[in-house]
Amino acid sequence: MRHCMSPLDFSVEEIDELIGLAADIEADPAKYEKACAGKRLATCFYEPSTRTRLSFESAMLRLGGATLGFASADSSSAAKGESVSDTIRVISAYADICAMRHPKEGAPFVAAQKSEIPVINAGDGGHNHPTQTLADLSTIHSLIGRLDHFTIGLCGDLKFGRTVHSLISALVRYSGVRFVLISPEELRIPSYIREDVLVRSGAAFEEVESLDDAMPSLDVLYMTRVQKERFFNEEDYVRLKDRYILTREKMKLAKDSMIVLHPLPRVNEIAVDVDDDPRAMYFTQAKKAVFIRMALILTLLGIHVDPSIPQPDNR
Ligand code: CP
């Protein structure tokens, strides 16, 4: 049985297959509408979510399956002190696959050890968010046509932003990807990503503070919000939260072909009027997340609808 804890659980070839499958689902959804008939997805969310939980539910419903679950720790027996290990043993009897979000790093991994069904990490603390990464990769591939040889700027809270950590870990495996890490000193990328992922892989990267200076060279700008829930004190959050705000004026510094992504939710880091810029692709990214999550559910459940799906070539 296979789980999804990190984007590195999948080889580059397998990610190509997932992206190809997601594209096929998007192009011909009717072909997949009964693929998961009789299957159940449990969504166990111990931390707030809109996109991840609802797109997983939408994904399973579009595959003809059913969903059950809880949306907060308070509405589950975690509030009475139940461990994730005990919870997943019980959920294993109720569902065929589980998507779990938890504020503690590694909690979905602990659950997976005791699970009798595939467990998907839907975000664990400041650590990983592999299915957001799959959505990001799928979106980049569909919009710029490749996952290699481009420059990506990651801007904002690079310390606590789990989507950034997962995305960097996934992208260093493609050749010619250059990373521009744009953050204030206090929110720089953690050393376990800088040293163990970027340096070790030999990726080209630089750490800068100025978004304006970085803009002209970027093919992809990945904005992130400052993660209020992971700060130890309100004062630091208030000081840092508006450090980067992408505006129409700043967009004039970017290439015409640059795309803007954001895992969402947005707080204040992208001005609302940027939404009208044709390069603003964060709502497209959220839409594409459903198809890649459909592809992931099918893959982890070992369900093959069409073995002749074309595979993108990123190498
Ligand atoms: N991108 C993302 O994880 O959004 P939610 O927190 O709304 O699930």
Side-chain angles (χ1 to χ4, degrees):
M1 183 177 47
R2 199 158 179 197
H3 306 288
C4 172
M5 292 295 121
S6 142
L8 302 183
D9 289 346
F10 296 98
S11 67
V12 168
E13 291 75 15
E14 287 173 323
I15 286 179
D16 287 350
E17 286 171 20
L18 284 167
I19 290 173
L21 179 54
D24 195 65
I25 294 168
E26 186 172 1
D28 189 1
K31 196 162 82 186
Y32 297 88
E33 65 189 10
K34 293 192 173 68
C36 283
K39 300 288 185 190
R40 296 179 188 89
L41 165 78
T43 52
C44 300
F45 276 58
Y46 297 85
E47 196 182 59
S49 168
T50 296
R51 269 147 300 278
T52 310
R53 187 171 67 83
L54 296 182
S55 68
F56 262 118
E57 294 192 359
S58 178
M60 192 50 147
L61 294 171
R62 288 172 195 226
L63 291 167
T67 67
L68 63 161
F70 53 86
S72 71
D74 287 351
S75 63
S76 79
S77 284
K80 303 174 203 160
E82 186 170 54
S83 67
V84 292
S85 300
D86 284 358
T87 300
I88 198 66
R89 289 179 79 156
V90 174
I91 298 285
S92 293
Y94 301 161
D96 301 284
I97 187 166
C98 173
M100 178 180 287
R101 170 171 290 188
H102 204 288
K104 285 198 180 140
E105 286 82 358
F109 180 78
V110 171
Q113 306 309 301
K114 296 285 182 192
S115 181
E116 292 168 26
I117 59 174
V119 177
I120 300 168
N121 177 2
D124 62 327
H127 186 216
N128 261 320
H129 194 346
T131 65
Q132 180 64 49
T133 298
L134 293 175
D136 300 340
L137 296 176
S138 168
T139 305
I140 293 169
H141 187 273
S142 76
L143 295 175
I144 72 168
R146 63 188 186 281
L147 288 173
D148 54 8
H149 297 96
F150 69 94
T151 298
I152 181 167
L154 299 121
C155 178
D157 184 352
L158 308 188
K159 179 178 181 182
F160 297 117
R162 60 192 172 198
T163 63
V164 167
H165 306 160
S166 285
L167 184 56
I168 291 173
S169 301
L171 279 176
V172 294
R173 299 190 294 179
Y174 297 86
S175 45
V177 179
R178 180 175 157 260
F179 299 86
V180 184
L181 307 173
I182 308 153
S183 75
E185 178 66 27
E186 294 102 314
L187 296 179
R188 283 174 67 188
I189 202 86
S191 63
Y192 76 88
I193 299 291
R194 186 187 308 102
E195 306 303 328
D196 300 348
V197 179
L198 287 160
V199 173
R200 187 171 291 175
S201 68
F205 77 96
E206 59 182 314
E207 295 184 270
V208 301
E209 287 206 30
S210 167
L211 174 58
D212 290 19
D213 290 349
M215 285 286 267
S217 73
L218 304 180
D219 300 302
V220 178
L221 172 60
Y222 194 94
M223 293 296 293
T224 62
R225 80 185 162 92
V226 175
Q227 305 262 311
K228 182 180 184 184
E229 64 275 32
R230 313 218 189 278
F231 273 74
F232 292 113
N233 70 71
E234 176 86 9
E235 197 180 300
D236 285 348
Y237 170 71
V238 169
R239 185 167 48 78
L240 293 166
K241 71 183 174 66
D242 292 330
R243 174 70 176 77
Y244 300 103
I245 300 177
L246 184 64
T247 58
R248 275 191 171 185
E249 202 55 33
K250 282 198 199 302
M251 287 296 285
K252 290 180 184 162
L253 299 169
K255 294 179 188 173
D256 289 345
S257 59
M258 188 193 80
I259 58 169
V260 184
L261 302 182
H262 189 312
L264 304 177
R266 156 178 58 187
V267 182
N268 205 27
E269 57 281 353
I270 302 179
V272 173
D273 60 10
V274 174
D275 298 357
D276 297 330
D277 190 302
R279 296 167 291 182
M281 287 293 158
Y282 26 93
F283 290 111
T284 299
Q285 181 185 6
K287 189 174 164 191
K288 286 192 173 292
V290 177
F291 305 113
I292 198 79
R293 289 188 170 114
M294 290 169 79
L296 180 66
I297 290 168
L298 289 172
T299 301
L300 292 180
L301 289 176
I303 295 170
H304 302 282
V305 174
D306 184 350
S308 65
I309 292 174
Q311 316 272 303
D313 182 6
N314 297 302
R315 293 171 301 283

